Every structure is written in C-alpha cells, then in structure tokens.
Amino acid sequence: MCDACGCDLKPEHTHDSKVVEVHQSLLAANTAMAVKNREHIEKMGAVAINMISSPGSGKTTLLEKTIEAIGDTIRIGVIEGDIETDRDAERIRAKGVPVVQLTTGGACHLDAAQVHKGIHLLEKEEGGAELDILFIENVGNLVCPATFDLGEHHRLVLVSVPEGPDKPAKYPKAFHSSQVFIISKTDLLPYFDFPVEEAKAEALQLNPNLQVMALSATSGEGFDQWLDYLREVCRKRQ
C-alpha cells in the first residue's frame, strides 16, 4: 500500500489523534478539488466515469473493446492511473483516442489533484477538450480508490471471474460507493467456480441501487448492455 493515504500506517507507530486530523484534512482538500474537477468536466460537456478494481480485472481491455465498438458515435477520452509505466496509455493511444498517463510513484490510488492535472493535460491532446465521456482508470486496488472522490459522475467497480465471487463481502466500501458493478471475463466461467447470481445478490445486498452487468470483452457476451448504459449516460447528460 502507500503512505499518501495512511493505509500502511500501523497504530503502534503513530499518534492516533494526529493521524485522524491529517486524514480529515487530506480528505477535505481532496473533496474540494473533486468538486472543481466535476464542474470543469461539466463545462467541457462531458461525463466522468471512475473505474476501480483489483489489478488484472480487465479495465484496460474493456476500454479498448469499448472504443472499438462505439466508434465515433461517442467521443471518449481516458486518464490512466498506474504506479509506474505508461503501458496502459500506449494501448489506449493505439485506439486513436486522447489519453493521459498519470503515474503515482508508489501511491495506490489517484487523488483529485492528480486528476485535475490530468484533465488539463488531456485538453491539450487532439480532441481532448471535446469529449462525451471521460474514463478515469484508477490504480488497481479495491481499498483506497473507494475513499477518494476524483470528481467523477459515476463510479464503476469491476471484478473478474478468476478473482472469485467474494469481493463484495471483502471490500464493501467499493460497492457502497459505486453505481455500476461489472463482472468481467465471463468467457472464463466454465473454468472457475464463480456463481454469478450469488455475487450479484451479495453486491445488491450492500447497495440495492447498483446496476449489475456480466460481460466478456473477449467474446462480446453482455457487451450490448454495457454500450447501452454508456449511450444512456450520454443521453442524460444532454
């Protein structure tokens, strides 16, 4: 984990009251910047979707297939978050949409200040100032990203079939704070013990308002529902 949000601090090594004060101050500053980000994105005419998941759940692949499927009917821009490397940004750039890579240098999540910088960098990219949807692919982690508002309008949590169905129970905040739950890599269901309906029910017990989708970016199964959701997001923005 990281030292930016304090998730790696051990109680015996800290003064509890000071830690609480620092965390409250940090979160308040983040929330204020997130409000500015949301206003900025709305002035651009776009909607922001924050994608959170464990590493390897298929966020980048989902974006690649989405860009291919949606074509130029929805203008997409992407802010990529990773601890190191710009490999995910290179994959998205190859699909012909504006993208910016943010590297956190060890922090396990993006924060609103980093995304603010990313928005300005993205606006300098060709087509980056005229978007319908801005995807923010957060650092792979189901813990800290659930705490930090980045200025998004929708939060999406992904769990892939190989990860197992128990993530809603283990990481409830990620599901409490999201609007959409995607079960990805469903083409692998024949090879893993992943009861889809059980995972759905557990997530909905935590958050009855979650929109749940099961899909495979490889086979295309369930992809129509995902694309319809994106079109509806754009329609409601207008």
Side-chain angles (χ1 to χ4, degrees):
M1 296 302 177
C2 71
D3 57 6
C5 60
C7 66
D8 199 31
L9 295 177
K10 295 178 174 56
E12 63 270 28
H13 294 156
T14 64
H15 301 283
D16 291 347
S17 62
K18 290 184 178 179
V19 170
V20 170
E21 289 173 9
V22 169
H23 284 192
Q24 288 178 339
S25 176
L26 187 154
L27 289 173
N30 184 81
T31 299
M33 182 58 76
V35 170
K36 292 181 180 179
N37 287 349
R38 203 158 13 251
E39 292 173 350
H40 191 115
I41 293 163
E42 288 169 2
K43 287 180 181 176
M44 294 168 63
V47 175
I49 300 176
N50 180 10
M51 305 171 73
I52 66 175
S53 76
S54 301
S57 66
K59 297 190 297 297
T60 310
T61 300
L62 175 61
L63 286 176
E64 289 178 309
K65 298 299 181 183
T66 299
I67 294 164
E68 291 175 5
I70 214 102
D72 57 3
T73 59
I74 293 178
R75 297 168 298 181
I76 290 174
V78 181
I79 293 177
E80 287 283 351
D82 270 309
I83 291 176
E84 297 289 350
T85 86
D86 62 351
R87 293 177 184 175
D88 286 352
E90 290 177 3
R91 289 171 58 182
I92 297 300
R93 190 171 292 112
K95 298 299 176 183
V97 303
V99 58
V100 166
Q101 178 74 55
L102 300 177
T103 52
T104 64
C108 59
H109 60 90
L110 292 173
D111 62 32
Q114 291 168 326
V115 169
H116 189 79
K117 176 184 174 183
I119 292 169
H120 284 294
L121 291 173
L122 191 66
E123 287 179 308
K124 296 177 182 177
E125 298 283 318
E126 184 177 355
E130 298 175 344
L131 303 176
D132 296 309
I133 297 179
L134 169 60
F135 283 104
I136 304 168
E137 184 180 339
N138 217 316
V139 178
N141 181 356
L142 278 175
V143 183
C144 302
T147 299
F148 286 77
D149 182 2
L150 303 181
E152 71 268 28
H153 299 86
H154 301 269
R155 183 173 293 180
L156 183 160
V157 56
L158 281 89
V159 174
S160 67
V161 166
E163 293 174 62
D166 57 356
K167 296 300 177 288
K170 288 186 173 181
Y171 305 97
K173 188 165 187 175
F175 294 83
H176 277 303
S177 64
S178 294
Q179 287 75 47
V180 178
F181 170 31
I182 287 185
I183 300 170
S184 61
K185 303 185 181 182
T186 55
D187 53 297
L188 298 179
L189 280 171
Y191 312 105
F192 291 89
D193 181 15
F194 192 109
V196 172
E197 294 306 318
E198 184 178 313
K200 286 182 178 179
E202 203 158 45
L204 289 170
Q205 190 173 9
L206 291 167
N207 181 356
N209 296 318
L210 267 178
Q211 188 169 349
V212 185
M213 305 178 207
L215 58 81
S216 167
T218 300
S219 69
E221 178 188 12
F223 227 70
D224 286 344
Q225 185 186 6
W226 164 240
L227 297 180
D228 286 344
Y229 160 75
L230 296 179
R231 294 185 185 102
E232 184 67 7
V233 163
C234 290
R235 189 189 66 77
K236 288 182 176 177
R237 173 211 53 171
Q238 295 169 348

